[in-house]
Amino acid sequence: MIQLIKKTDQCLSFAGFSISKLAEKYDTPLYVISELKIIDNYNRMYEALTKEYNKIRIYYSAKANTNLSVLKTLEREGAYLDAVSPGEVFLAKKAGFLSNRILFTGTSVRNDELRYLLESNVTINIDSLSQLNWLLKITVPNQLSFRINPELGAGHHESCITAGKEAKFGLWEDEVVKGYQKAKNTGVKNFGIHMHIGSGIMSVEPYLIATQRLLKIAKKVREKTKIKFQFINIGGGMGIPYKPGEAPFDTERFAQEICGLYKRKIKEYQLNTPVLCVEPGRYIVGEACALITRVNTIKQTPYKMFIGVDAGFNTLIRPIMYDAYHHILVSTANTSEERVYDVAGPICESGDLLAKNRKLPYVKEGDLLVVLNTGAYGYSMSSQYNSRPRAAEVLVKEHKHVLVRKRETFKDLIRGQRIAKWLK
Ligand code: LLP
């Protein structure tokens, strides 16, 4: 296991590079990404699964982090890619992913987007019968997949549970046969089946139950339509530990139990030997990145002690959006004495906190804080709210570091805008 953060005499380091030096060179807020950690995470999952079953594909879920260098790293490792928008397909192609390695799983997809996807030649994962009808009116693709709601969801927050009663995603069991039959009758030749139950799941159990249900549905489809599945995709959502001491996702157990169940059921249900696909995003990139932010101000009120830093929810929205915990270290701490702080960003909303009531070593103005595990849904969910240009991203590998996304400037705030003629 690669350990990214280490303590040196002066300050903390990330993948061997001094946090202070990185901040000095690239300024803050700064996302620093370790290429080797991404590779390590990908291969840990890949090896665990291929040990148990020999037809495995890992679709990296691009929404977690779409930096082109991250995509390229995974392309070179042999990953496949899960895209949820035409923009992600565009970026994946820019990074070198061939269309036969991309699966598109969108919801509420526009017709012009469907056309773009068909022209791009990626496999489309159907989310509703209405989407299927529109698609088949445009053309009959060679291969199609359907996203199924296995009526069981899981996840670290209610908005991240993507199956079950409240979820907008996928087809319910009673529509599934209809969908496959229609696609088959219209001339589609190759098929897959898919589910994604949620995000930030730390235990194997929900996957076991949902996979069992998915395979049962696959059996029903096979019996009723005589379709042979090329692939069965059980989605992503594998969590990472955010709090110190939290146990990691048990990849080995996941691989053993899921593949064990899979092998038994495909045999029992006569499904042949379809490729088994998983679709992790966070698991691959989450721990591979840290956010460096500088302390601007310290403020003691009668009730609270605030540290004002230069990264707010415009840079990292997870704490305010999901009440998510991100561990924070003080890079230049020179005392072990601690006190309780609220770590606040520069955004003009009281909810703009990276951490609330957090015990940290004594902090001074100018100190650097390191927010851990920000590789997934960090930059990709950042915004220009309050007209703050977005942060920069740096990739590190062995003895090298390089800027892989420039810090935005004021120019980016006006890009594409113009003042209406009648106002001039
Ligand atoms: N596949 C599909 C169809 C998905 O919708 C998602 C995530 C994934 C795979 C990958 O999930 P992961 O392995 O990264 O958990 N912004 C939230 C997470 C939202 C995930 C949405 N879908 C967060 O910051 O926790």
Side-chain angles (χ1 to χ4, degrees):
M1 198 55 113
I2 297 175
Q3 206 207 328
L4 288 174
I5 299 283
K6 292 208 176 112
K7 180 135 188 76
T8 62
D9 291 347
Q10 304 299 319
C11 71
L12 296 179
S13 68
F14 178 92
F17 295 103
S18 136
I19 295 285
S20 306
K21 291 214 171 110
L22 288 169
E24 205 176 291
K25 179 161 171 75
Y26 299 105
D27 207 355
T28 55
L30 179 72
Y31 279 104
V32 207
I33 311 164
S34 157
E35 182 178 329
L36 292 180
K37 184 78 174 171
I38 293 175
I39 294 174
D40 190 51
N41 290 341
Y42 172 82
N43 285 309
R44 185 165 353 96
M45 175 75 81
Y46 187 73
E47 279 157 24
L49 288 165
T50 41
K51 228 182 350 177
E52 306 295 330
Y53 184 66
N54 60 6
K55 287 162 84 176
I56 295 291
R57 280 185 200 162
I58 298 188
Y59 284 77
Y60 165 60
S61 191
K63 60 184 84 60
N65 190 324
T66 41
N67 184 292
L68 284 179
S69 295
V70 169
L71 298 180
K72 187 73 204 165
T73 299
L74 289 158
E75 193 277 329
R76 281 172 50 165
E77 282 309 292
Y80 288 68
L81 187 124
D82 155 46
V84 287
S85 68
E88 285 186 355
V89 170
F90 167 79
L91 291 173
K93 292 200 152 195
K94 280 268 168 243
F97 279 91
L98 297 178
S99 48
N100 59 9
R101 278 164 71 188
I102 303 175
L103 177 67
F104 175 86
T105 300
T107 184
S108 187
V109 184
R110 289 164 52 121
N111 286 351
D112 57 344
E113 293 180 335
L114 283 177
R115 277 198 191 91
Y116 172 82
L117 298 163
L118 289 164
E119 279 159 22
S120 304
N121 242 335
V122 301
T123 300
I124 298 176
N125 196 20
I126 296 288
D127 186 59
S128 64
L129 289 183
S130 118
Q131 186 192 6
L132 176 71
N133 291 337
W134 282 112
L135 179 83
L136 294 177
K137 270 184 213 156
I138 303 171
T139 191
V140 180
N142 192 39
Q143 171 158 282
L144 263 191
S145 169
F146 286 79
R147 178 174 183 169
I148 311 298
N149 182 340
E151 299 180 38
L152 171 105
H156 72 88
H157 182 271
E158 64 176 26
S159 355
C160 300
I161 298 173
T162 50
K165 283 203 183 98
E166 299 293 327
K168 65 174 177 174
F169 302 102
L171 276 75
W172 281 70
E173 191 173 346
D174 56 350
E175 305 173 316
V176 174
V177 173
K178 223 199 253 170
Y180 279 102
Q181 192 66 62
K182 174 155 189 180
K184 188 182 174 195
N185 293 348
T186 325
V188 180
K189 296 276 179 299
N190 297 319
F191 290 94
I193 190 165
H194 169 277
M195 69 174 185
H196 171 71
I197 60 173
S199 190
I201 303 167
M202 295 307 284
S203 74
V204 177
E205 276 64 33
Y207 289 102
L208 286 170
I209 302 170
T211 302
Q212 194 146 358
R213 290 188 187 169
L214 183 72
L215 291 169
K216 225 177 190 170
I217 294 173
K219 170 186 181 240
K220 187 164 155 187
V221 173
R222 187 196 62 75
E223 284 170 354
K224 298 254 160 96
T225 66
K226 305 279 172 287
I227 276 171
K228 269 198 217 154
F229 287 104
Q230 312 289 319
F231 65 87
I232 297 183
N233 186 329
I234 63 166
M238 302 80 185
I240 57 166
Y242 282 98
K243 290 195 174 149
E246 204 182 330
F249 185 79
D250 192 341
T251 313
E252 294 290 325
R253 190 179 151 223
F254 173 80
Q256 282 159 11
E257 299 203 8
I258 288 293
C259 293
L261 171 77
Y262 188 80
K263 285 185 287 190
R264 279 198 309 281
K265 291 295 171 188
I266 53 173
K267 197 162 170 209
E268 182 186 332
Y269 297 162
Q270 297 174 12
L271 292 168
N272 298 328
T273 52
V275 180
L276 172 61
C277 313
V278 291
E279 225 168 53
R282 184 189 323 262
Y283 179 94
I284 292 179
V285 292
E287 290 172 294
C289 171
L291 168 65
I292 307 175
T293 179
R294 196 178 285 281
V295 176
N296 297 321
T297 52
I298 311 252
K299 182 187 286 185
Q300 170 84 72
T301 76
Y303 303 99
K304 292 244 156 203
M305 183 71 152
F306 288 100
I307 308 176
V309 297
D310 59 10
F313 74 72
N314 54 324
T315 307
L316 179 68
I317 204 170
R318 300 193 71 256
I320 177 171
M321 190 146 174
Y322 310 115
D323 205 13
Y325 180 98
H326 281 269
H327 200 57
I328 297 178
L329 301 171
V330 182
S331 174
T332 34
N334 42 20
T335 161
S336 56
E337 266 184 276
E338 292 185 321
R339 59 165 308 161
V340 175
Y341 295 101
D342 275 12
V343 182
I347 298 299
C348 291
E349 293 198 25
S350 289
D352 182 31
L353 300 174
L354 293 180
K356 205 170 180 160
N357 297 327
R358 184 73 60 88
K359 252 197 192 161
L360 293 173
Y362 269 55
V363 171
K364 326 175 280 312
E365 287 109 340
D367 276 351
L368 292 167
L369 304 190
V370 187
V371 188
L372 300 184
N373 305 323
T374 50
Y377 310 105
Y379 191 97
S380 68
M381 292 181 81
S382 67
S383 73
Q384 291 178 338
Y385 185 46
N386 276 198
S387 298
R388 291 195 170 272
R390 266 179 280 242
E393 290 180 297
V394 161
L395 186 75
V396 306
K397 183 183 193 183
E398 289 152 357
H399 55 279
K400 301 177 286 242
H401 49 83
V402 64
L403 188 68
V404 287
R405 182 163 355 220
K406 267 185 9 201
R407 183 174 303 288
E408 287 184 348
T409 64
F410 289 166
K411 263 200 178 148
D412 295 295
L413 301 179
I414 52 168
R415 190 171 354 129
Q417 289 203 59
R418 60 178 175 187
I419 296 173
K421 232 199 225 151
W422 63 84
L423 292 172
K424 284 186 184 159

